[in-house]
Amino acid sequence: MAAHDRVLGLSVPVMEVLDPALWNGRYAHGILLGALRSVRETSGKVGDHEARVRKVIDEIPPQVIRWHLRAALSELEMKLGVPFGVQVCKAEPLDEDARKWRDYDRLVPRLPYTRSQIANWFRIDLPPGLISIERIRAYYFGVRVWELSTAEGNADLIRIQWGKQGIAHILPTNLGALALTPGGNGAVGYAGVWQTAYGHASPIPDFWAVDYTTGPIANNGEVGHVEAVLADWCYCVAGIKLLNMAA
């Protein structure tokens, strides 16, 4: 049995939602998408007053259909609070060679570190539609004290628990080395994550620098897909305007 058959085709790629030809075939089959006007023509023969009626169709161009599909998808994104385009987010500070639109789409600020994260297995809340986490760095008052990444060989400690909700966890194998505070004269002290978090009455600001990628995730886990019913909603919202334009 093919993978597509197993999920019954209940999710569709986002690009299908923005395809004018698919909207035409699924929601405007047999409908003349243009203004009809009757043109009375003579046969061209002298004295012949017999008229013929011809239908002339001014078609709605694909770019107009695509625009209204985009507007409907944008409205759905605002209503659900879920991104429908894949977006690469990098946290401050950026690597020296990082370039916007090439290496990342959006620059995001660092997140605070709170005591409650310890009780919840170092939970980090990120935006909905979390596809992947590429790197997590920890900054203790501007000093980088820790990093999780493929380059460091410890990216396996990052766990995305609920991607659609944007919930991730860190499962460290060495709690004491999770974050070290800088000691005197630039030396590294021995205050680990427990002492760091519980030694402050308020959250530690500007702590987590998380590089991640967001985008649509269907209920079956398909990245870049949405449920068919959401595609139907976009098609119908766009259709209200398009069919009115088609008179």
Side-chain angles (χ1 to χ4, degrees), residues 1-37:
M1 179 182 294
H4 186 72
D5 295 331
R6 291 178 182 174
V7 298
L8 303 178
L10 300 184
S11 68
V12 298
V14 171
M15 293 310 297
E16 280 197 15
V17 184
L18 301 175
D19 191 326
L22 290 177
W23 181 86
N24 247 320
R26 294 170 177 172
Y27 289 78
H29 178 71
I31 298 176
L32 298 175
L33 293 178
L36 301 182
R37 64 176 184 266

Short mmCIF file of all heavy atoms in Angstrom, two decimals, residues 1-37:
data_model
loop_
_atom_site.label_atom_id
_atom_site.label_comp_id
_atom_site.label_asym_id
_atom_site.label_seq_id
_atom_site.Cartn_x
_atom_site.Cartn_y
_atom_site.Cartn_z
N MET A 1 0.86 -1.20 0.00
CA MET A 1 0.00 0.00 0.00
C MET A 1 0.88 1.24 0.00
O MET A 1 1.82 1.34 0.79
CB MET A 1 -0.92 0.00 1.23
CG MET A 1 -1.83 1.23 1.31
SD MET A 1 -2.85 1.22 2.81
CE MET A 1 -3.89 -0.20 2.47
N ALA A 2 0.62 2.18 -0.88
CA ALA A 2 1.40 3.40 -0.95
C ALA A 2 1.16 4.28 0.26
O ALA A 2 0.10 4.23 0.88
CB ALA A 2 1.06 4.16 -2.24
N ALA A 3 2.18 5.10 0.60
CA ALA A 3 2.05 5.97 1.77
C ALA A 3 0.88 6.93 1.61
O ALA A 3 0.16 7.22 2.57
CB ALA A 3 3.35 6.75 1.97
N HIS A 4 0.66 7.40 0.38
CA HIS A 4 -0.43 8.34 0.15
C HIS A 4 -1.78 7.67 0.41
O HIS A 4 -2.72 8.31 0.90
CB HIS A 4 -0.37 8.88 -1.28
CG HIS A 4 -1.37 9.96 -1.55
ND1 HIS A 4 -1.25 11.23 -1.04
CD2 HIS A 4 -2.53 9.95 -2.27
CE1 HIS A 4 -2.28 11.96 -1.44
NE2 HIS A 4 -3.06 11.21 -2.19
N ASP A 5 -1.88 6.38 0.09
CA ASP A 5 -3.14 5.67 0.32
C ASP A 5 -3.40 5.49 1.80
O ASP A 5 -4.55 5.49 2.24
CB ASP A 5 -3.08 4.29 -0.36
CG ASP A 5 -2.99 4.42 -1.88
OD1 ASP A 5 -3.49 5.42 -2.41
OD2 ASP A 5 -2.41 3.52 -2.51
N ARG A 6 -2.34 5.34 2.58
CA ARG A 6 -2.52 5.11 4.02
C ARG A 6 -3.13 6.32 4.72
O ARG A 6 -3.87 6.17 5.69
CB ARG A 6 -1.17 4.78 4.66
CG ARG A 6 -0.63 3.42 4.24
CD ARG A 6 0.72 3.15 4.85
NE ARG A 6 1.26 1.88 4.43
CZ ARG A 6 2.48 1.45 4.73
NH1 ARG A 6 3.28 2.21 5.44
NH2 ARG A 6 2.90 0.27 4.30
N VAL A 7 -2.78 7.51 4.27
CA VAL A 7 -3.34 8.71 4.89
C VAL A 7 -4.58 9.20 4.14
O VAL A 7 -5.13 10.24 4.46
CB VAL A 7 -2.29 9.84 4.96
CG1 VAL A 7 -1.12 9.44 5.81
CG2 VAL A 7 -1.81 10.24 3.56
N LEU A 8 -5.00 8.44 3.13
CA LEU A 8 -6.24 8.70 2.40
C LEU A 8 -6.24 10.04 1.67
O LEU A 8 -7.29 10.54 1.28
CB LEU A 8 -7.44 8.65 3.36
CG LEU A 8 -7.61 7.33 4.13
CD1 LEU A 8 -8.80 7.43 5.07
CD2 LEU A 8 -7.79 6.16 3.18
N GLY A 9 -5.08 10.64 1.51
CA GLY A 9 -5.02 11.92 0.81
C GLY A 9 -5.74 13.03 1.55
O GLY A 9 -6.29 13.94 0.93
N LEU A 10 -5.76 12.98 2.89
CA LEU A 10 -6.49 13.97 3.67
C LEU A 10 -5.69 15.24 3.94
O LEU A 10 -6.16 16.14 4.61
CB LEU A 10 -6.94 13.35 5.00
CG LEU A 10 -7.86 12.13 4.87
CD1 LEU A 10 -8.32 11.65 6.23
CD2 LEU A 10 -9.07 12.47 4.00
N SER A 11 -4.46 15.29 3.44
CA SER A 11 -3.68 16.52 3.50
C SER A 11 -3.16 16.82 2.10
O SER A 11 -2.96 15.91 1.30
CB SER A 11 -2.51 16.38 4.49
OG SER A 11 -1.57 15.45 4.01
N VAL A 12 -2.95 18.11 1.84
CA VAL A 12 -2.49 18.52 0.51
C VAL A 12 -1.33 19.49 0.68
O VAL A 12 -1.26 20.23 1.68
CB VAL A 12 -3.62 19.19 -0.29
CG1 VAL A 12 -4.76 18.23 -0.53
CG2 VAL A 12 -4.12 20.45 0.41
N PRO A 13 -0.40 19.54 -0.27
CA PRO A 13 0.69 20.52 -0.20
C PRO A 13 0.14 21.94 -0.26
O PRO A 13 -0.86 22.21 -0.92
CB PRO A 13 1.53 20.21 -1.44
CG PRO A 13 1.16 18.80 -1.82
CD PRO A 13 -0.27 18.64 -1.43
N VAL A 14 0.80 22.85 0.45
CA VAL A 14 0.35 24.24 0.46
C VAL A 14 0.33 24.81 -0.95
O VAL A 14 -0.55 25.61 -1.29
CB VAL A 14 1.27 25.09 1.37
CG1 VAL A 14 0.95 26.57 1.23
CG2 VAL A 14 1.09 24.67 2.82
N MET A 15 1.27 24.41 -1.78
CA MET A 15 1.33 24.95 -3.14
C MET A 15 0.08 24.61 -3.94
O MET A 15 -0.28 25.34 -4.87
CB MET A 15 2.57 24.45 -3.86
CG MET A 15 3.88 24.97 -3.28
SD MET A 15 3.88 26.78 -3.07
CE MET A 15 3.71 27.32 -4.77
N GLU A 16 -0.61 23.52 -3.59
CA GLU A 16 -1.86 23.19 -4.28
C GLU A 16 -2.93 24.24 -3.99
O GLU A 16 -3.78 24.53 -4.82
CB GLU A 16 -2.37 21.80 -3.86
CG GLU A 16 -1.68 20.66 -4.56
CD GLU A 16 -2.46 19.36 -4.43
OE1 GLU A 16 -3.65 19.42 -4.05
OE2 GLU A 16 -1.87 18.30 -4.69
N VAL A 17 -2.89 24.79 -2.77
CA VAL A 17 -3.88 25.79 -2.39
C VAL A 17 -3.72 27.05 -3.22
O VAL A 17 -4.68 27.80 -3.43
CB VAL A 17 -3.75 26.12 -0.88
CG1 VAL A 17 -4.84 27.09 -0.44
CG2 VAL A 17 -3.83 24.84 -0.05
N LEU A 18 -2.52 27.30 -3.72
CA LEU A 18 -2.24 28.52 -4.47
C LEU A 18 -2.23 28.31 -5.98
O LEU A 18 -1.81 29.19 -6.72
CB LEU A 18 -0.87 29.09 -4.03
CG LEU A 18 -0.75 29.42 -2.54
CD1 LEU A 18 0.67 29.85 -2.21
CD2 LEU A 18 -1.74 30.50 -2.14
N ASP A 19 -2.72 27.17 -6.43
CA ASP A 19 -2.69 26.83 -7.86
C ASP A 19 -4.01 27.21 -8.53
O ASP A 19 -5.05 26.60 -8.26
CB ASP A 19 -2.44 25.34 -8.02
CG ASP A 19 -2.12 24.95 -9.45
OD1 ASP A 19 -2.68 25.58 -10.38
OD2 ASP A 19 -1.32 24.02 -9.66
N PRO A 20 -4.00 28.22 -9.41
CA PRO A 20 -5.24 28.65 -10.07
C PRO A 20 -5.89 27.54 -10.89
O PRO A 20 -7.13 27.44 -10.94
CB PRO A 20 -4.78 29.79 -10.98
CG PRO A 20 -3.52 30.29 -10.37
CD PRO A 20 -2.86 29.08 -9.79
N ALA A 21 -5.08 26.69 -11.53
CA ALA A 21 -5.64 25.63 -12.36
C ALA A 21 -6.41 24.62 -11.51
O ALA A 21 -7.48 24.14 -11.90
CB ALA A 21 -4.52 24.93 -13.14
N LEU A 22 -5.88 24.31 -10.34
CA LEU A 22 -6.58 23.37 -9.45
C LEU A 22 -7.87 23.98 -8.92
O LEU A 22 -8.89 23.30 -8.81
CB LEU A 22 -5.66 22.96 -8.30
CG LEU A 22 -4.48 22.07 -8.67
CD1 LEU A 22 -3.61 21.80 -7.45
CD2 LEU A 22 -4.97 20.75 -9.27
N TRP A 23 -7.84 25.27 -8.58
CA TRP A 23 -9.08 25.92 -8.13
C TRP A 23 -10.12 25.90 -9.24
O TRP A 23 -11.30 25.63 -9.01
CB TRP A 23 -8.79 27.36 -7.71
CG TRP A 23 -10.04 28.05 -7.24
CD1 TRP A 23 -10.56 28.04 -5.98
CD2 TRP A 23 -10.95 28.83 -8.03
NE1 TRP A 23 -11.73 28.76 -5.93
CE2 TRP A 23 -11.99 29.26 -7.19
CE3 TRP A 23 -10.96 29.20 -9.37
CZ2 TRP A 23 -13.04 30.04 -7.63
CZ3 TRP A 23 -12.01 29.98 -9.82
CH2 TRP A 23 -13.04 30.40 -8.96
N ASN A 24 -9.68 26.17 -10.46
CA ASN A 24 -10.58 26.14 -11.61
C ASN A 24 -11.25 24.79 -11.76
O ASN A 24 -12.46 24.68 -11.95
CB ASN A 24 -9.79 26.47 -12.89
CG ASN A 24 -10.21 27.79 -13.49
OD1 ASN A 24 -11.38 28.12 -13.52
ND2 ASN A 24 -9.23 28.55 -13.96
N GLY A 25 -10.44 23.72 -11.69
CA GLY A 25 -10.97 22.39 -11.91
C GLY A 25 -11.84 21.88 -10.78
O GLY A 25 -12.78 21.13 -11.01
N ARG A 26 -11.53 22.30 -9.55
CA ARG A 26 -12.25 21.77 -8.38
C ARG A 26 -13.46 22.61 -7.97
O ARG A 26 -14.41 22.09 -7.37
CB ARG A 26 -11.28 21.67 -7.19
CG ARG A 26 -10.18 20.65 -7.39
CD ARG A 26 -9.11 20.74 -6.31
NE ARG A 26 -8.10 19.70 -6.47
CZ ARG A 26 -6.97 19.63 -5.77
NH1 ARG A 26 -6.71 20.55 -4.86
NH2 ARG A 26 -6.10 18.66 -5.99
N TYR A 27 -13.42 23.91 -8.29
CA TYR A 27 -14.48 24.78 -7.77
C TYR A 27 -15.18 25.62 -8.84
O TYR A 27 -16.12 26.34 -8.52
CB TYR A 27 -13.90 25.71 -6.69
CG TYR A 27 -13.56 24.95 -5.43
CD1 TYR A 27 -12.41 24.20 -5.36
CD2 TYR A 27 -14.42 24.93 -4.34
CE1 TYR A 27 -12.10 23.46 -4.23
CE2 TYR A 27 -14.13 24.20 -3.21
CZ TYR A 27 -12.96 23.46 -3.15
OH TYR A 27 -12.67 22.73 -2.03
N ALA A 28 -14.70 25.58 -10.05
CA ALA A 28 -15.35 26.36 -11.10
C ALA A 28 -15.55 25.53 -12.36
O ALA A 28 -15.60 26.06 -13.46
CB ALA A 28 -14.50 27.60 -11.42
N HIS A 29 -15.72 24.23 -12.18
CA HIS A 29 -15.89 23.34 -13.34
C HIS A 29 -17.18 23.69 -14.08
O HIS A 29 -18.27 23.74 -13.49
CB HIS A 29 -15.93 21.89 -12.88
CG HIS A 29 -16.16 20.93 -14.02
ND1 HIS A 29 -15.19 20.67 -14.96
CD2 HIS A 29 -17.24 20.19 -14.37
CE1 HIS A 29 -15.65 19.80 -15.83
NE2 HIS A 29 -16.90 19.50 -15.49
N GLY A 30 -17.05 23.97 -15.36
CA GLY A 30 -18.22 24.27 -16.18
C GLY A 30 -18.71 25.69 -16.07
O GLY A 30 -19.71 26.06 -16.70
N ILE A 31 -18.05 26.52 -15.25
CA ILE A 31 -18.48 27.91 -15.09
C ILE A 31 -17.63 28.80 -15.98
O ILE A 31 -16.40 28.68 -16.00
CB ILE A 31 -18.33 28.36 -13.61
CG1 ILE A 31 -19.23 27.51 -12.71
CG2 ILE A 31 -18.67 29.84 -13.45
CD1 ILE A 31 -19.08 27.81 -11.24
N LEU A 32 -18.26 29.69 -16.73
CA LEU A 32 -17.54 30.62 -17.58
C LEU A 32 -17.01 31.77 -16.73
O LEU A 32 -17.78 32.62 -16.27
CB LEU A 32 -18.47 31.14 -18.68
CG LEU A 32 -19.02 30.07 -19.64
CD1 LEU A 32 -20.02 30.69 -20.60
CD2 LEU A 32 -17.90 29.40 -20.40
N LEU A 33 -15.71 31.76 -16.48
CA LEU A 33 -15.12 32.76 -15.60
C LEU A 33 -14.84 34.06 -16.35
O LEU A 33 -13.72 34.51 -16.50
CB LEU A 33 -13.81 32.22 -15.01
CG LEU A 33 -13.99 31.05 -14.03
CD1 LEU A 33 -12.63 30.57 -13.56
CD2 LEU A 33 -14.84 31.47 -12.86
N GLY A 34 -15.89 34.67 -16.82
CA GLY A 34 -15.74 35.94 -17.52
C GLY A 34 -17.09 36.58 -17.76
O GLY A 34 -18.14 35.95 -17.62
N ALA A 35 -17.09 37.84 -18.11
CA ALA A 35 -18.33 38.55 -18.40
C ALA A 35 -18.81 38.17 -19.78
O ALA A 35 -18.05 38.21 -20.75
CB ALA A 35 -18.08 40.05 -18.31
N LEU A 36 -20.07 37.80 -19.90
CA LEU A 36 -20.65 37.42 -21.20
C LEU A 36 -21.34 38.64 -21.80
O LEU A 36 -22.07 39.36 -21.13
CB LEU A 36 -21.68 36.31 -21.00
CG LEU A 36 -21.16 35.02 -20.35
CD1 LEU A 36 -22.29 34.00 -20.27
CD2 LEU A 36 -20.00 34.46 -21.13
N ARG A 37 -21.07 38.86 -23.04
CA ARG A 37 -21.78 39.94 -23.72
C ARG A 37 -22.26 39.44 -25.09
O ARG A 37 -21.54 38.68 -25.75
CB ARG A 37 -20.91 41.18 -23.86
CG ARG A 37 -19.68 41.02 -24.73
CD ARG A 37 -18.94 42.38 -24.85
NE ARG A 37 -17.82 42.29 -25.76
CZ ARG A 37 -16.59 42.04 -25.38
NH1 ARG A 37 -16.34 41.80 -24.09
NH2 ARG A 37 -15.60 42.00 -26.25
#
